[in-house]
Amino acid sequence: MTHSYHKHILLFLLLLLSAAGCKKGYLDTVPDNITTLKDVFTNRAMTEQWLARLYNPMPDMWNQPYSVPWTGQCDEADYAWVQPGINSGAITPDNASPSYWNSYYQTIRQAAIFLQNADQNQEIKALPGGDRLLKQYKAEARFLRAYYYWLLMRQYGPVVLMGETPRLPEDNFQIPRSTWDECAAYVLSEMDKAFPDVPVQHVNPVDPTQADVTQTGRITQPIILAVKSQILLYHASPLFNGNTELASFKNTDGTTLFNQSYDKERWKKAADAAKAVIDLNRWELYTVADPDPFRAAFLSCRNLFFDGWQKEAIWIRTSSAHVSNWERHCSPRCANGQGWNGIAVTQEQVDIFRTANGKAISDNSSGYTEDGFTGSATPYYVSGTYNMYTNREPRFYVDVTFNGAVVPVVPESGQTRVEFFFTGNSGKNGAPRDWPSTGYTARKNIHPNTDFRTGRNFSRPAMMIRLGEIYLNYAEALNEYEPGNPDILKYLNKIRNRGGLPDMQPGLSQEEMRRQIRLERRIELMFEGHRYWDVRRWKVANDPDQHQGGAFHGMNIEKGTSLSDPEFHKRIVSFTRANWQNKFYFYPIPQSEIDRNKVLMQFPGY
């Protein structure tokens, strides 16, 4: 929000306080330059500005490592510059970061004020189609209010539902959490109420056959359906569906906050919600044609984030974070103008990528080896690269920069490769902090023509929800509800094929199919803000092959004086995080809120 907006709201609140405490007289005169709620909601421009500000807090997953740090709080990556408290186990109600509790509730209140006051705006109603436009605006506000509740639920568990109208200062704010099921039902019903009054697409007023790019990110019916697909998938998942481990988490009146009975039908609702999005037939998986199938898969998955949003994105938002934060923090120091070289991918993530033939590296027939160094160069790595990194599936070269990889952006003059060994051009010896703890950095969504020295970058929106995610939502939910349904493999194989892998054949058990779907989700959606939540909703965060605490591995960044030095290419413990505790399923509510609201229960363990 702008400084001017804050100033006007502050003055408005001060005016209300003075009006309540003073007798009428000269000092009660309202200065001409004070903005009141009536001023806002009888003026079209100010009403529309209020609505626009409801979009501002929406998170951008590429705003890493500081603002949206979920990638660095799971097994995907380690940040060189910041260590969130949850990683060390030092997270408390006083220091938990990021804390969205207050900011999202402020926006929820602002949405409620909009819904309560927008009908005053005769200027909007007087426009051609004004009544319909005002209904659309209110539907957007209603959806956004529900969406911020959903983001709070995902992070904090069951939340406090504040009701339809904004409360007054004299109202009772001793309000307990609603149960998880009550929260989910409320959010979904609010989205259903908003659905009829938003358009299928915001169209260009000059050419109605084209989308209006000035309305990028504004709520549409397909966006609502896609968000419901996410919510219903979570709602069906083990953390939220018959979770007896949380039976003791209760309100002060004894109300159990998580349901204790598993409901299989939730998976059907999740599958139906995802299929409803698919059946709109408005998007397709983005692909790039190339005579070489491997190259086609690589370009399809890499360029998805530069060009593919036009075909695959369901919900996008304008973003500069990929340039100002993500690209610079991921790129090696040998980039032209120097990258910051510190979003380190774990060895655990490196090892999940299959070989080019689609087989796991643990499969003796995969061709995988950790012996020796290649004598051949490819478009993805130079001669002398460790054989661990050769012959891997295309998405490995899209997502991970490793020792010997080609530079992911425009390189410094004379540099042809990335060197993470100790004395290398991006190794630990060359900078006090800007080095990856594991000997790998993240590569996805880094444009190859980005030039930090000249400032050349390539604007594109961030995809908040894309069709690939919906396919995976559908496959997961359908496997849980109706294992063996042919649609499971149909949509899972669409993702695999785009990534350069062959079809998975039928005949797998439900358990093995579940493992494959989760693996595909882990690879396809890597760094896009899903993994942190997925391991929690599946309740696998303490499983050995999914562990979110303990030791994480990488190469030996303290060693190595040449590209093919065996001393660097040894698996070691790169960093250690606090052992998993069940309190890490959710964030603590800020202690200041617990102190004020005596019936607000803290999540167990904090």
Side-chain angles (χ1 to χ4, degrees):
M1 297 181 186
T2 65
H3 175 70
S4 175
Y5 170 74
H6 281 304
K7 181 176 71 176
H8 286 150
I9 293 300
L10 178 59
L11 289 172
F12 173 61
L13 293 174
L14 289 173
L15 177 64
L16 288 178
L17 290 173
S18 63
C22 303
K23 296 180 180 179
K24 290 188 177 296
Y26 175 76
L27 294 178
D28 297 311
T29 302
V30 180
D32 291 340
N33 64 342
I34 296 294
T35 302
T36 66
L37 283 178
K38 183 176 181 180
D39 294 331
V40 170
F41 290 105
T42 55
N43 179 281
R44 177 188 176 186
M46 295 178 73
T47 298
E48 290 176 342
Q49 288 169 8
W50 190 291
L51 176 62
R53 291 187 183 105
L54 299 181
Y55 284 85
N56 287 353
M58 202 166 289
D60 180 349
M61 75 287 286
W62 302 112
N63 198 6
Q64 299 185 42
Y66 301 109
S67 297
V68 186
W70 308 121
T71 289
Q73 294 187 182
C74 69
D75 54 0
E76 289 183 326
D78 179 52
Y79 297 145
W81 316 273
V82 58
Q83 289 302 322
I86 197 169
N87 290 354
S88 66
I91 184 173
T92 73
D94 290 313
N95 69 9
S97 178
S99 178
Y100 296 114
W101 182 270
N102 290 327
S103 61
Y104 285 167
Y105 268 112
Q106 288 168 6
T107 308
I108 286 167
R109 176 173 174 78
Q110 289 159 7
I113 291 172
F114 186 94
L115 289 167
Q116 187 181 51
N117 290 278
D119 282 332
Q120 298 179 53
N121 201 303
Q122 299 302 317
E123 186 179 357
I124 294 176
K125 290 180 178 180
L127 296 171
D131 287 335
R132 179 199 54 77
L133 184 61
L134 195 57
K135 287 179 68 176
Q136 176 194 312
Y137 288 171
K138 291 175 65 179
E140 289 180 66
R142 185 173 298 279
F143 170 85
L144 290 169
R145 180 174 64 175
Y147 184 69
Y148 292 118
Y149 271 125
W150 162 239
L151 295 182
L152 286 167
M153 291 163 58
R154 193 175 64 168
Q155 185 173 354
Y156 297 96
V159 296
V160 176
L161 299 177
M162 299 302 296
E164 179 65 15
T165 58
R167 291 174 178 257
L168 298 174
E170 61 269 21
D171 288 341
N172 179 17
F173 283 87
Q174 300 298 300
I175 311 170
R177 296 187 194 234
S178 295
T179 68
W180 174 268
D181 287 359
E182 288 168 345
C183 292
Y186 172 76
V187 165
L188 291 167
S189 67
E190 287 293 283
M191 292 182 179
D192 286 341
K193 289 178 186 176
F195 182 84
D197 293 329
V198 297
V200 173
Q201 182 183 36
H202 293 279
V203 297
N204 188 320
V206 177
D207 182 1
T209 65
Q210 300 295 318
D212 186 350
V213 295
T214 67
Q215 306 300 310
T216 295
R218 289 190 71 174
I219 305 308
T220 62
Q221 290 184 358
I223 288 172
I224 293 177
L225 293 178
V227 172
K228 287 182 61 180
S229 168
Q230 287 185 338
I231 296 171
L232 287 165
L233 185 73
Y234 278 59
H235 191 49
S237 297
L239 183 60
F240 308 106
N241 189 1
N243 187 355
T244 56
E245 289 183 4
L246 293 179
S248 62
F249 185 28
K250 300 179 180 182
N251 278 334
T252 55
D253 65 358
T255 300
T256 302
L257 292 171
F258 283 92
N259 67 78
Q260 298 299 293
S261 301
Y262 173 73
D263 181 2
K264 182 180 177 181
E265 292 303 309
R266 290 189 183 185
W267 289 112
K268 184 178 189 306
K269 291 178 181 178
D272 290 347
K275 192 59 161 56
V277 179
I278 294 169
D279 287 347
L280 294 174
N281 292 317
R282 299 184 64 86
W283 311 275
E284 59 186 82
L285 291 187
Y286 173 77
T287 58
V288 174
D290 191 275
D292 176 3
F294 189 96
R295 185 69 177 169
F298 170 81
L299 292 174
S300 296
C301 296
R302 186 195 71 176
N303 295 1
L304 165 64
F305 296 91
F306 316 142
D307 306 314
W309 59 269
Q310 298 176 72
K311 288 188 174 182
E312 187 166 334
I314 299 171
W315 192 8
I316 58 179
R317 58 160 293 162
T318 55
S319 172
S320 60
H322 59 271
V323 174
S324 60
N325 280 309
W326 177 255
E327 286 191 330
R328 197 75 183 257
H329 283 90
C330 291
S331 293
R333 295 198 310 273
C334 58
N336 197 36
Q338 198 169 90
W340 294 333
N341 195 43
I343 295 185
V345 183
T346 65
Q347 188 71 48
E348 283 74 5
Q349 288 296 108
V350 168
D351 290 345
I352 66 171
F353 288 95
R354 281 70 61 104
T355 53
N357 59 15
K359 297 182 178 181
I361 64 172
S362 58
D363 189 326
N364 290 333
S365 64
S366 68
Y368 175 79
T369 180
E370 295 184 9
D371 293 328
F373 302 85
T374 182
S376 303
T378 72
Y380 317 106
Y381 51 81
V382 299
S383 177
T385 296
Y386 189 32
N387 278 330
M388 176 189 282
Y389 313 133
T390 65
N391 195 38
R392 301 296 284 271
E393 64 170 291
R395 285 177 296 186
F396 174 69
Y397 303 106
V398 172
D399 290 353
V400 181
T401 298
F402 48 88
N403 191 53
V406 298
V407 183
V409 293
V410 174
E412 194 79 55
S413 178
Q415 300 292 342
T416 60
R417 66 195 188 193
V418 179
E419 299 171 351
F420 287 135
F421 56 87
F422 183 65
T423 61
N425 59 31
S426 300
K428 184 176 180 180
N429 192 48
R433 284 200 306 171
D434 293 349
W435 40 266
S437 61
T438 60
Y440 306 100
T441 53
R443 193 180 186 102
K444 176 186 273 189
N445 196 18
I446 299 178
H447 200 289
N449 294 326
T450 293
D451 190 326
F452 299 124
R453 187 176 303 280
T454 65
R456 182 175 65 181
N457 57 69
F458 297 85
S459 178
R460 67 262 189 193
M463 291 185 286
M464 298 178 65
I465 304 178
R466 57 185 178 92
L467 185 62
E469 176 195 340
I470 300 298
Y471 282 178
L472 292 168
N473 291 356
Y474 182 49
E476 178 183 341
L478 199 57
N479 184 60
E480 298 300 333
Y481 184 74
E482 189 181 346
N485 188 303
D487 268 5
I488 299 169
L489 275 181
K490 175 183 176 180
Y491 288 97
L492 184 64
N493 281 333
K494 285 178 181 287
I495 299 293
R496 287 173 57 90
N497 294 164
R498 196 257 298 271
L501 300 180
D503 277 353
M504 184 173 292
Q505 298 303 310
L508 297 181
S509 67
Q510 181 187 31
E511 182 178 353
E512 178 58 23
M513 182 61 73
R514 179 186 298 126
R515 192 181 73 82
Q516 291 296 334
I517 291 169
R518 290 179 177 181
L519 174 61
E520 200 60 45
R521 188 175 179 94
R522 185 175 179 181
I523 294 174
E524 176 68 17
L525 301 178
M526 191 176 291
F527 313 138
E528 294 181 48
H530 292 275
R531 177 70 177 165
Y532 176 92
W533 312 107
D534 283 346
V535 293
R536 283 162 171 76
R537 67 180 178 87
W538 293 330
K539 295 180 63 178
V540 298
N542 204 30
D543 290 3
D545 61 344
Q546 312 269 354
H547 67 94
Q548 301 301 297
F552 290 86
H553 299 82
M555 295 291 99
N556 190 351
I557 62 172
E558 303 284 351
K559 301 289 186 179
T561 58
S562 65
L563 179 66
S564 303
D565 192 332
E567 291 301 308
F568 169 81
H569 296 96
K570 291 182 178 179
R571 294 170 181 262
I572 66 165
V573 174
S574 296
F575 60 91
T576 302
R577 291 178 178 165
N579 290 330
W580 174 260
Q581 302 175 55
N582 283 347
K583 70 177 184 178
F584 295 156
Y585 278 124
F586 297 104
Y587 259 50
I589 292 173
Q591 187 62 41
S592 58
E593 293 296 316
I594 299 294
D595 292 342
R596 283 193 290 261
N597 185 351
K598 303 305 181 182
V599 296
L600 181 58
M601 296 301 295
Q602 185 64 274
F603 189 69
Y606 291 108

